[in-house]
């Protein structure tokens, strides 16, 4: 959810380099962040592999130093490695990344002293400082110190290793193909596999700020090479996004595994030994809840967005949480999406069950999902949603984020986009036809309400 005045998006401040994310903007926004932090504090900073990484980072560092903050520069690190360090050191963190966005983008992501992503309340304070010009400038004697900090990636790998059954993986003789998407996981995932005694091969494992291998969004269409080479040659294919907080998988037959299946598989595995809450966005597949109920766990739904899921997990002391895009949160490691931990956990699950990943996936409940959207007038979005809310009926209705209506073992979610003038529709059912029918029915409802609103505006 975008915050009040739109400086922060779902995952920090993002923009096109030298256009919206230009030096003037970076300076002003960093001054607002620095004013929020206050002088004489310690801050750890990292970057992904984008070619604009040094340019953005050096500007940010210069402003932080002038604001009296002591800066520790970690160099190129995955976002979860920086968060892990921030948590362990108790330092505020800044990650220079645009995650899965194309190479022309970059961003500034703030990490709180406990390693979690900054919450909306604190983002709003920074926005107030920025828009109300409450920036504080210091005298020359108060500037901070610049330091390099080593071993952030190594400590992160050790952190994962401490929480995984290494013996089980070691004895299973697994072969893995890992695609680092030319991002910072080239410094962590291959070394983690090596320590786990897994035989592995890498692709796109060179740092390349142009993302020459493929677009760094780990979607099926971007991972054709990984799928092709995994088929028949490896037990598992693994891919990270551009800053390695996410991880997705390909089975030994070269099939891309949908993210909701991975959520369900990990939920099943974790609940076997540790009963508790599983936290999911309201858009998550019913398959995960079905598995959780069977294993005597309890699912709690939140608004869409990893930081929101993580906050709810802290509140409930949940045992696992995540999103269907490969964002997996393991509370024993840290309260944020963690690509390396996700990879190690799936290897642990395969090795413990002594089954192929495709067999493990085929044991999970099968649901059919249909996703799409309807374009609407931006000014009508709220009133369209209000009309839908007052008219829908179902066995169970959730209005956490948009409106989710259950009908037997089917459901539909109607959700306005936070960034575009569209209303998204997701439907899910045990059979394909019911899912498609449900989708069509609600698409027509949204379209007809939208048309009505347009006519009303015209006749005004
Ligand atoms: Mg990411």
């Amino acid at each position: 959810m975008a915050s009040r005045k739109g400086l922060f998006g779902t995952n920090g401040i993002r923009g096109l380099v030298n256009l919206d994310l230009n030096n003037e903007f970076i300076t002003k926004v960093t001054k607002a962040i620095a004013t929020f932090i206050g002088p004489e504090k310690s801050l750890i900073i990292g970057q992904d592999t984008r070619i604009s990484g040094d340019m953005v980072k050096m500007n940010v560092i210069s402003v932080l130093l002038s604001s009296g903050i002591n800066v520790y520069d970690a160099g190129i690190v995955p976002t979860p490695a920086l968060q892990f360090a921030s948590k362990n050191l108790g330092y505020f963190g800044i990650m220079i990344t645009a995650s899965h966005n194309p190479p022309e983008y970059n961003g500034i992501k703030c990490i709180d002293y406990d390693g979690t992503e900054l919450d909306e309340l604190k983002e709003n304070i920074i926005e107030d400082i920025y828009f109300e010009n409450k920036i504080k400038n210091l005298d020359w004697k108060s500037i901070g110190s610049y330091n390099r900090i080593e071993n952030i990636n190594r400590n992160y790998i050790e952190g994962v290793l401490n929480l995984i059954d290494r013996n089980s993986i070691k004895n299973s003789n697994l072969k893995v193909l890992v695609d680092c998407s030319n991002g910072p996981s080239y410094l962590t995932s291959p070394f983690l596999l090596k320590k786990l005694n897994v035989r592995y091969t890498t692709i796109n494992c060179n740092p390349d700020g142009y993302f020459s291998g493929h677009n760094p969004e780990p979607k099926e269409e971007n991972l054709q090479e990984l799928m092709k080479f995994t088929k028949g040659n490896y037990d598992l294919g693994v891919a990270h996004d551009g800053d390695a907080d996410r991880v997705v998988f390909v089975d030994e037959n070269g099939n891309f595994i949908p993210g909701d299946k991975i959520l369900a598989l990990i939920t099943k595995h974790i609940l076997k030994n540790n009963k508790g809450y599983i936290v999911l966005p309201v858009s998550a597949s019913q398959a995960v809840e079905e598995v959780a109920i069977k294993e005597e766990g309890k699912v709690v739904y939140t608004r869409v967005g990893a930081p929101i899921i993580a906050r709810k997990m802290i509140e409930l002391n949940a045992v696992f949480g995540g999103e269907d895009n490969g964002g997996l949160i393991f509370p024993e490691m840290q309260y944020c999406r963690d690509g390396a931990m996700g990879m190690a956990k799936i290897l642990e699950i395969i090795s413990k069950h002594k089954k192929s990943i495709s067999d493990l996936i085929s044991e999970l409940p099968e649901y059919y999902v249909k996703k799409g959207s309807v374009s609407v007038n931006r000014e009508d979005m709220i009133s369209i949603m209000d009309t839908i809310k007052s008219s829908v009926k179902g066995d169970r209705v959730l209005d956490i984020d948009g409106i989710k209506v259950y009908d037997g073992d089917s459901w539909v979610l109607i959700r306005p986009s936070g960034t575009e003038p569209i209303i998204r529709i997701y439907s899910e059912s045990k059979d394909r036809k019911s899912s498609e029918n449900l989708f069509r029915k609600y698409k027509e409802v949204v379209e007809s309400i939208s048309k009505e609103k347009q006519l009303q505006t015209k006749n005004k």
Side-chain angles (χ1 to χ4, degrees), residues 396-442:
R396 186 176 154 205
V397 177
L398 292 181
D399 61 355
I400 302 166
D401 193 353
I403 186 116
K404 187 175 184 179
V405 188
Y406 289 83
D407 185 3
D409 56 18
S410 305
W411 59 261
V412 63
L413 173 66
I414 305 143
R415 215 183 129 247
S417 162
T419 48
E420 298 163 79
I422 55 171
I423 290 181
R424 297 185 199 282
I425 303 167
Y426 313 64
S427 67
E428 191 184 63
S429 189
K430 283 262 184 200
D431 68 281
R432 194 183 300 272
K433 210 165 170 59
S434 306
S435 179
E436 281 170 3
N437 287 341
L438 201 60
F439 177 84
R440 201 174 313 120
K441 179 180 154 189
Y442 279 91

Side-chain angles (χ1 to χ4, degrees), residues 99-100 241-246 337:
S99 182
H100 59 276
D241 71 325
D243 67 332
D245 57 347
R246 285 155 57 190
R337 294 179 291 191

